[in-house]
Amino acid sequence: MLKARETLGIGAGASSGGSALALVPTMGALHEGHRSLIRLARERAAHVAVSIFVNPLQFGPAEDFSRYPRTFDADVEICEAEGVSVVFAPSAEDMYLPDRQVGVSAGGMGSVVEGEFRPGHLDGVLTVVLKLFNLVQPDVAVFGQKDAQQLAVIRRMVADLNLPVSIVGGPTVREPDGLALSSRNRYLSPEDRVTALALSRALTAGSARRAPAEIRRTALAVLEAEPSLALDYLVLVDPATFAEVGDDHAGEAILAVAARVGSTRLIDNVTLAAG
Ligand code: AMP
C-alpha cells in the first residue's frame, strides 16, 4: 500500500515547516466541525490528509454502525474545497485482518464516563487511531474537543506509547442555537432537535456557576426539565484523566453530558473554570 507520505513525496523524518503532514481522522458525513479541523490542520502543516473510515471496532453490537451516515462523494468534494491533499478511505477488510488479535487498551480511562456506557468504545478508537498514525505517518493529528474523552485518551496514548505525533484539539463548532454539530444530528426529527438543545443549554447554565456542586446541580436541573430526554450521564471531570472532580476542586474542569433523544445518542461538553 502506498503511504500518504510517499504519495505526497514527503521523505521520512520530515517533521516541520514546508513538508509537514497533518492528519484529520473522521468517520465521514463531513460537516462544518470537520471543516474547522481541516482548516486548523492546514495552519499546522503544508499537507493535510483526511481519513474517512467508519470503524466497526468502536461500535457496540446494539449501536448504529450499519445505519451510520455514509456520504463519500460529498465528503470528497468538501475535502477538495478545503485544500486537502489526500483522502484515505480504506475498507474494513483493508484495515483489519480477519484473525486480528492485538489492539490498544485505553486502560482505566476507557471504562469511566463514556466508557461506562460504551464498553470497548475507547479501545476501538485508540486501536484505529494508532493504525491510522502508522499508515499515514502524520507529524500532526487534529481532533475535536467535541469528543473530549476521546481527545484525552489519544493524548494519553501518545504520551504512554511515545508516539511521534503532535496532537492538536479544535473547539466544538455549534449551530447558532447552540446545538453541537454532529453527523448524527441528521437522525433528529424537528421535535427531537428542539429537545436536543437542552444539552448545550445545560452546559451553558452550568458554566455560569463556580462551585462544582452548583455547576452539576444547575446543569442537571435543565436536563431534568426535558421529559423526552433520556440522560446517560452528566459529569464534571478532570480534563486529563476524566476522573470526577471533588466538590473542593478549583481550576479547569470539563462538564460533559450524554443523552438519548428518540433513538439518537448525543454527547456534548464544555471546559470551564471551577472553584
Ligand atoms: P467523527 O467523524 O464523528 O468521528 O469526528 C471526527 C472528528 O471531528 C473528531 O475528532 C471529532 O471530535 C470532530 N468533531 C465532530 N463534531 C465536531 C464539532 N461539532 N466541532 C468540532 N469538531 C468536531
Side-chain angles (χ1 to χ4, degrees):
M1 190 190 301
L2 196 62
K3 304 271 172 64
R5 301 193 76 90
E6 293 161 9
T7 312
L8 295 168
I10 299 174
S15 62
S16 64
S19 58
L21 173 63
L23 172 66
V24 182
T26 81
M27 297 202 298
L30 301 184
H31 51 64
E32 260 321 302
H34 299 112
R35 291 180 93 126
S36 74
L37 301 186
I38 294 171
R39 288 179 202 137
L40 260 181
R42 288 196 63 192
E43 286 170 18
R44 300 298 180 111
H47 303 281
V48 175
V50 169
S51 61
I52 298 176
F53 181 59
V54 185
N55 175 30
L57 236 57
Q58 69 189 70
F59 287 79
E63 292 183 0
D64 59 346
F65 174 72
S66 54
R67 71 167 189 145
Y68 195 85
R70 288 161 171 88
T71 59
F72 184 70
D73 293 343
D75 292 346
V76 170
E77 268 179 38
I78 288 173
C79 288
E80 272 175 355
E82 294 292 343
V84 168
S85 304
V86 171
V87 174
F88 179 54
S91 68
E93 293 71 35
D94 286 334
M95 286 296 274
Y96 295 115
L97 297 171
D99 60 348
R100 172 191 88 75
Q101 298 287 321
V102 176
V104 182
S105 163
M109 282 179 77
S111 55
V112 296
V113 190
E114 192 64 4
E116 196 181 324
F117 288 85
R118 303 186 71 188
H121 167 69
L122 289 163
D123 295 349
V125 168
L126 291 187
T127 300
V128 80
V129 167
L130 181 58
K131 286 166 71 74
L132 290 169
F133 286 179
N134 287 333
L135 289 164
V136 178
Q137 297 181 16
D139 304 290
V140 177
V142 186
F143 297 88
Q145 187 66 37
K146 161 80 168 36
D147 297 275
Q149 191 174 2
Q150 168 175 291
L151 177 56
V153 294
I154 288 167
R155 288 192 196 281
R156 194 69 235 182
M157 173 174 75
V158 165
D160 284 346
L161 303 184
N162 308 92
L163 303 182
V165 182
S166 300
I167 303 299
V168 173
T172 301
V173 176
R174 298 177 180 282
E175 302 278 9
D177 59 10
L179 183 69
L181 296 194
S182 163
S183 305
R184 290 186 170 99
N185 288 354
R186 69 190 69 201
Y187 302 148
L188 298 170
S189 69
E191 298 76 30
D192 289 345
R193 204 191 165 291
V194 173
T195 305
L197 288 176
L199 275 76
S200 55
R201 221 168 41 240
L203 298 178
T204 305
S207 311
R209 305 297 175 137
R210 294 300 301 259
E214 271 296 294
I215 293 169
R216 291 189 180 98
R217 191 165 31 241
T218 306
L220 196 59
V222 174
L223 296 164
E224 284 176 348
E226 197 55 71
S228 38
L229 185 143
L231 186 64
D232 276 356
Y233 61 76
L234 172 78
V235 292
L236 187 65
V237 295
D238 180 297
T241 64
F242 264 68
E244 290 242 26
V245 301
D247 283 349
D248 57 350
H249 176 80
E252 224 180 54
I254 290 181
L255 182 62
V257 61
R260 283 159 288 123
V261 180
S263 58
T264 307
R265 188 170 181 279
L266 300 172
I267 62 171
D268 199 355
N269 72 88
V270 69
T271 302
L272 51 76

